[in-house]
Amino acid sequence: MRFVILMILTMMASAVTAQQNPQAPPSGNAENGKKIFTAYGCYQCHNYAANGGGAGPRLAPRPIAFPAFTRAIRTPRDEMPPYSLKMVTDQELADIYAYLLTFPAPPAVDSIPALRQ
Amino acid sequence: MAKSKKNGVDRRGFLKGAAAGAAAGAAALVAPPLVEAAGAQQAPPQRPAAVPPSAAQLAAETELLSADGHAMTVENAGSDFMVDVFKSMGIEYIASNPGSSFRGLQESFITYGGNRSPEWLTCMHEESSIAIADGYFRVAGKPMIAMAHGTVGLQHASMNIYNAFVARNPVIIVLGNALDANARRPGVEWNHSVQDCAAMVRDYIKWDDTPISLPHFAESAVRAYKIGMTVPMGPVVLVADGDLQENAAKDRSKLRIPKLTLTSPPVGDPVAVAEVARLLVAAENPLILSGRTVRTEQGMKLMVELAETLQAPVQGGGRNMPNRHPLAGGGSVASADVILGLQVDDLWGATHEFRDQQERSYQTITKAGAKIISISSNDLYIKSNYQDFQRFTEVDMALAADAEATLPSLIEACKRLITADRRRALDERGKKIAAANVQALARARTEATYAWDASPISTTRMSVELYNAVKGKDWALIGGGGSRLWNIEKFYQTPGGGGAAAVGSGLPISVGAALAHKKFGRICVGIQQDGDLMYAPGALWTAAHHRIPMLLVMHNNRAYHQEVMHLQRMASRRQRGIGNAQIGCVITDPNVDYAQLAKSMGLYGAGPITDPKDLAPALKIAVERVEKGEPALIDVVTQPR
């Protein structure tokens, strides 16, 4: 019993931290994110389908954790152009992130005859 | 009209005897074609005489003089001899727009030469002519002629001459020009004439000459072929002066064509080769970086043999190795202790990481103490002005030699050093590389599933569907498209890389490559960029007109997309105008209908395809058309990259 109560307490505590955690993604507007993804040029290197291509890595489905996501965009490690606060607000980043979360998992390789070579 | 020359025999002053003059006034007889193959020519008029006239008699009788005594006809035009010269070298094709500065030569090619070996390919832009010749060389392994008109034609041609130069591909460029100011037609001919024709492209050709006599022409043509084909190869220019083409050859029987003997490529110094072998055999993690090494099917076999002897990974793709070979790919520059660069154009770029941010920065990515070896013919020939030689690379050994030609001695030297113990260690290494490559292929397949059903269509899906449409056949890529997901086993299945990334070169290179494949009946396919096609789409017409079967699948991202990304970088750095990058770079409003464009020039056209499900059926139909001998184009609206 004590064990169960402890469990519940721990779960509540983590729920609270999640809410207050500055690292967690703020809620975003996926629809606006979709628009920005094109308007701000993310599609150019990551493709409209966010599957990545010759010019940038795949971003969705399952985007990297939000803090790393923000870092990658504000201060890219390599060739990606930096997007400062002047260019993209934090809320807009959250919107893009929300949009990337809407991408469904791809079909299994074996379900695609053209890839069963 | 220029007046007669005082001396010498030329088209304007070839005065004939009185008898000939009298005969000339009698009838405008047509001289018979000199070569039977000129099928389109009309038969000469029937002569009632029982004894046919000799050639000399006929020539004398059909010679026309103007009222003021100027020759109006010519026998044995100098350009006929020029054609003999080109025929002697086994040239199969001439790619060219027509141009008045080489009207004499063109007439000789099509009538005296019978328009066979070489055959005239009608082009729509000199830029296309040159790149068709470039693409043809990539497959045929021998040069063809591309012709250009004095000033303006060569100016059009220059971009793809540079591209062929950077790719080290020979093209024999023949330029028409009117050197003699006294004989030039006023007006346009002056605008199209130039004192030193080749000057404007001399920075990016290997050699040029302006012969002033027919013996000189023959010698220089043979020399041009030889120099163009000597490693490192490259385009060469031969100027065919208008008078030399149009005036009579003084005595054809005395004109000789020198023997053509090609120079064998330079092979690495044996002592240096032995040292390279020692380093490679002793290395724990050797890596072979291969650029434009392989020039022949045999070269590909040698590359496989070197990789297998060392059980070392070969990076570089293209036509170096069958791409599913267990040692094709894998390894890394960062982990290698010995890096062997074979014919790598940019070894610095391959061994450094460069960051294109506001402040450009770079660092080496090689391991401390790693040995870098270069075997390349590029060291044998370098020019100053154009910077295609890339950044200076610090290496530990540099062999100025042709890599393919050096492979046999390098393989032998390695084999001599490998003991049974070493063999076991190398084989263990090979197994790991092979296993990593199997995983990489599996990863590539999984990666292809992302955006599989997306519209615009993913470029990976387009490539895979294209492969599936041809994989059971004898296919060859003539443009982009190959990847790990294609099983590329033969040398001729890719057109080979190299070049100056010149937009506008892709389409005509594909046409030239398909032309060279034609006699083997291969199904030629390639992925074609939209921006590249729009430079000079007339090359499509050339493919249709000359019945060159090929299938182009448009990677239509409706933009000069590379530049969109560059503008985005600028916008990001300057923190303004985030949504403006498309201005000046996209090809929309209106969208180009590539299927209609292709159809208008006589190709089979389909699309634009936006639903990926429509792709496979469309490809099936298009491949059937290509199998019947037609060129075809399918427009596919794609993801940007």
Side-chain angles (χ1 to χ4, degrees):
Chain A
M1 186 65 189
R2 258 177 63 203
F3 177 67
V4 172
I5 291 171
L6 196 70
M7 277 273 291
I8 292 167
L9 282 173
T10 323
M11 279 165 68
M12 281 169 66
S14 55
V16 171
T17 25
Q19 263 173 25
Q20 293 170 344
N21 185 355
Q23 306 273 297
S27 62
N29 176 339
E31 212 170 299
N32 191 42
K34 181 177 181 179
K35 277 189 213 134
I36 298 172
F37 195 79
T38 301
Y40 290 7
C42 315
Y43 83 94
Q44 297 166 9
C45 309
H46 299 286
N47 281 341
Y48 296 105
N51 62 319
R58 170 161 50 83
L59 302 180
R62 296 187 308 279
I64 55 173
F66 190 71
F69 178 81
T70 309
R71 238 186 349 264
I73 295 166
R74 297 271 185 242
T75 51
R77 63 167 189 276
D78 196 3
E79 287 268 305
M80 165 156 161
Y83 283 82
S84 71
L85 258 176
K86 252 185 174 175
M87 302 284 277
V88 192
T89 65
D90 284 335
Q91 184 54 52
E92 286 173 325
L93 284 188
D95 292 353
I96 296 173
Y97 196 79
Y99 170 55
L100 295 176
L101 284 171
T102 66
F103 280 73
V109 185
D110 293 340
S111 71
I112 301 173
L115 289 173
R116 271 192 253 123
Q117 296 171 11
Chain B
M1 186 67 198
K3 293 289 173 211
S4 308
K5 282 187 177 178
K6 288 218 173 69
N7 305 311
V9 185
D10 68 34
R11 68 172 188 255
R12 297 168 185 88
F14 194 46
L15 295 173
K16 287 285 161 186
L29 294 176
V30 182
L34 288 169
V35 171
E36 279 197 352
Q41 298 295 310
Q42 287 185 348
Q46 289 286 317
R47 299 181 141 266
V51 183
S54 71
Q57 259 176 320
L58 192 66
E61 282 175 24
T62 56
E63 195 64 56
L64 293 180
L65 280 187
S66 68
D68 55 353
H70 290 91
M72 300 187 81
T73 54
V74 63
E75 289 294 320
N76 262 332
S79 53
D80 290 356
F81 174 67
M82 294 176 180
V83 169
D84 288 340
V85 172
F86 291 126
K87 278 183 178 283
S88 80
M89 300 190 293
I91 305 270
E92 285 186 304
Y93 297 101
I94 310 142
S96 188
N97 290 55
S100 60
S101 59
F102 48 81
R103 60 189 185 179
L105 191 48
Q106 180 170 357
E107 194 276 340
S108 292
F109 274 128
I110 59 177
T111 302
Y112 172 75
N115 202 20
R116 290 271 176 286
S117 301
E119 177 189 345
W120 192 275
L121 304 171
T122 312
C123 295
M124 301 275 123
H125 197 300
E126 288 82 353
E127 189 174 292
S128 310
S129 311
I130 303 288
I132 286 173
D134 180 343
Y136 167 87
F137 168 79
R138 289 167 194 241
V139 176
K142 65 179 196 172
M144 63 186 253
I145 295 175
M147 297 204 31
H149 177 54
T151 53
V152 288
L154 183 58
Q155 283 156 354
H156 273 312
S158 61
M159 186 276 275
N160 272 332
I161 296 178
Y162 180 57
N163 199 59
F165 177 77
V166 176
R168 302 290 183 266
N169 289 338
V171 177
I172 299 178
I173 300 147
V174 178
L175 304 176
N177 190 34
L179 260 181
D180 184 355
N182 185 48
R184 274 182 211 151
R185 287 174 286 131
V188 173
E189 194 163 43
W190 278 81
N191 293 331
H192 292 182
S193 298
V194 54
Q195 193 181 44
D196 179 3
C197 222
M200 68 175 122
V201 295
R202 193 163 286 136
D203 266 330
Y204 39 92
I205 54 174
K206 253 189 104 180
W207 187 76
D208 70 274
D209 197 15
T210 302
I212 59 162
S213 69
L214 291 173
H216 184 175
F217 185 90
E219 196 170 310
S220 290
V222 173
R223 193 197 297 270
Y225 192 112
K226 184 182 169 90
I227 291 178
M229 285 293 287
T230 299
V231 168
M233 301 183 196
V236 287
V237 167
L238 193 63
V239 182
D241 177 55
D243 276 352
L244 208 56
Q245 298 172 47
E246 296 188 26
N247 293 344
K250 274 183 199 153
D251 188 349
R252 175 64 184 84
S253 66
K254 291 208 178 107
L255 290 172
R256 275 197 69 244
I257 302 170
K259 183 166 79 172
L260 170 67
T261 305
L262 293 184
T263 312
S264 62
V267 177
D269 160 47
V271 177
V273 168
E275 177 60 11
V276 174
R278 195 188 62 75
L279 286 168
L280 286 170
V281 171
E284 283 313 305
N285 275 319
L287 173 66
I288 301 170
L289 296 178
S290 187
R292 292 176 296 96
T293 307
V294 170
R295 288 182 279 103
T296 61
E297 198 73 57
Q298 176 60 14
M300 197 183 227
K301 292 197 181 103
L302 289 168
M303 186 63 90
V304 169
E305 195 178 346
L306 178 69
E308 289 177 353
T309 302
L310 292 166
Q311 291 296 314
V314 178
Q315 285 186 7
R319 13 165 75 165
N320 290 304
M321 291 269 281
N323 73 335
R324 295 257 174 102
H325 187 280
L327 296 166
S332 73
V333 169
S335 65
D337 52 354
V338 174
I339 297 168
L340 173 64
L342 297 176
Q343 219 59 60
V344 178
D345 286 338
D346 183 11
L347 200 47
W348 190 92
T351 51
H352 290 75
E353 203 169 60
F354 192 95
R355 210 166 167 244
D356 178 13
Q357 292 289 2
Q358 181 61 30
E359 261 181 54
R360 299 181 180 199
S361 58
Y362 56 86
Q363 60 185 38
T364 174
I365 49 172
T366 51
K367 201 161 114 167
K371 293 264 182 279
I372 303 179
I373 304 161
S374 163
I375 304 181
S376 172
S377 59
N378 285 357
D379 286 356
L380 291 167
Y381 182 79
I382 193 164
K383 293 214 180 187
S384 310
N385 196 14
Y386 287 77
Q387 305 288 304
D388 66 301
F389 41 77
Q390 304 289 337
R391 193 152 184 179
F392 184 79
T393 317
E394 292 174 55
V395 296
D396 297 278
M397 288 188 74
L399 280 67
D402 178 59
E404 180 177 312
T406 305
L407 284 176
S409 56
L410 181 58
I411 292 164
E412 285 318 305
C414 290
K415 282 183 177 166
R416 275 197 295 274
L417 293 173
I418 298 173
T419 60
D421 267 2
R422 193 70 195 128
R423 179 81 274 149
R424 272 189 293 280
L426 300 188
D427 288 347
E428 279 312 304
R429 178 169 73 207
K431 279 182 204 151
K432 285 188 197 135
I433 298 164
N437 276 333
V438 168
Q439 280 174 7
L441 178 57
R443 268 199 310 278
R445 284 211 177 98
T446 305
E447 205 54 46
T449 63
Y450 291 94
W452 185 256
D453 295 316
S455 174
I457 295 170
S458 102
T459 53
T460 309
R461 175 152 188 186
M462 175 171 67
S463 169
V464 169
E465 298 280 13
L466 177 57
Y467 177 57
N468 279 343
V470 296
K471 71 180 176 191
K473 307 173 191 289
D474 184 14
W475 57 267
L477 270 168
I478 50 168
S483 75
R484 212 182 260 280
L485 297 172
W486 290 57
N487 187 6
I488 303 170
E489 293 174 300
K490 305 208 172 69
F491 164 76
Y492 65 74
Q493 283 176 323
T494 56
V503 182
S505 62
L507 171 63
I509 285 176
S510 295
V511 173
L515 172 71
H517 282 300
K518 186 176 167 178
K519 64 176 156 205
F520 303 104
R522 294 171 191 146
I523 302 297
C524 295
V525 295
I527 287 178
Q528 170 65 44
Q529 320 283 340
D530 54 340
D532 179 275
L533 183 132
M534 289 302 284
Y535 265 67
L540 292 174
W541 180 88
T542 300
H545 181 70
H546 292 283
R547 315 287 188 271
I548 302 171
M550 59 177 203
L551 169 60
L552 295 178
V553 179
M554 295 298 297
H555 172 185
N556 180 7
N557 57 20
R558 293 183 170 152
Y560 289 107
H561 189 75
Q562 185 74 35
E563 311 316 312
V564 177
M565 296 188 292
H566 276 305
L567 280 199
Q568 196 68 43
R569 283 181 204 291
M570 294 302 107
S572 278
R573 286 177 201 176
R574 294 164 188 189
Q575 306 186 69
R576 64 187 185 196
I578 191 171
N580 292 343
Q582 299 203 341
I583 299 174
C585 298
V586 294
I587 313 173
T588 56
D589 189 20
N591 292 330
V592 180
D593 187 337
Y594 293 100
Q596 287 297 342
L597 178 73
K599 283 183 199 165
S600 77
M601 294 199 233
L603 285 83
Y604 169 77
I609 293 177
T610 51
D611 183 339
K613 288 195 195 65
D614 297 337
L615 200 48
L619 286 165
K620 188 167 180 292
I621 295 169
V623 168
E624 283 164 11
R625 302 293 289 252
V626 175
E627 283 176 317
K628 285 187 192 140
E630 285 178 67
L633 181 147
I634 295 188
D635 182 11
V636 182
V637 182
T638 63
Q639 295 285 325
R641 285 291 145 120

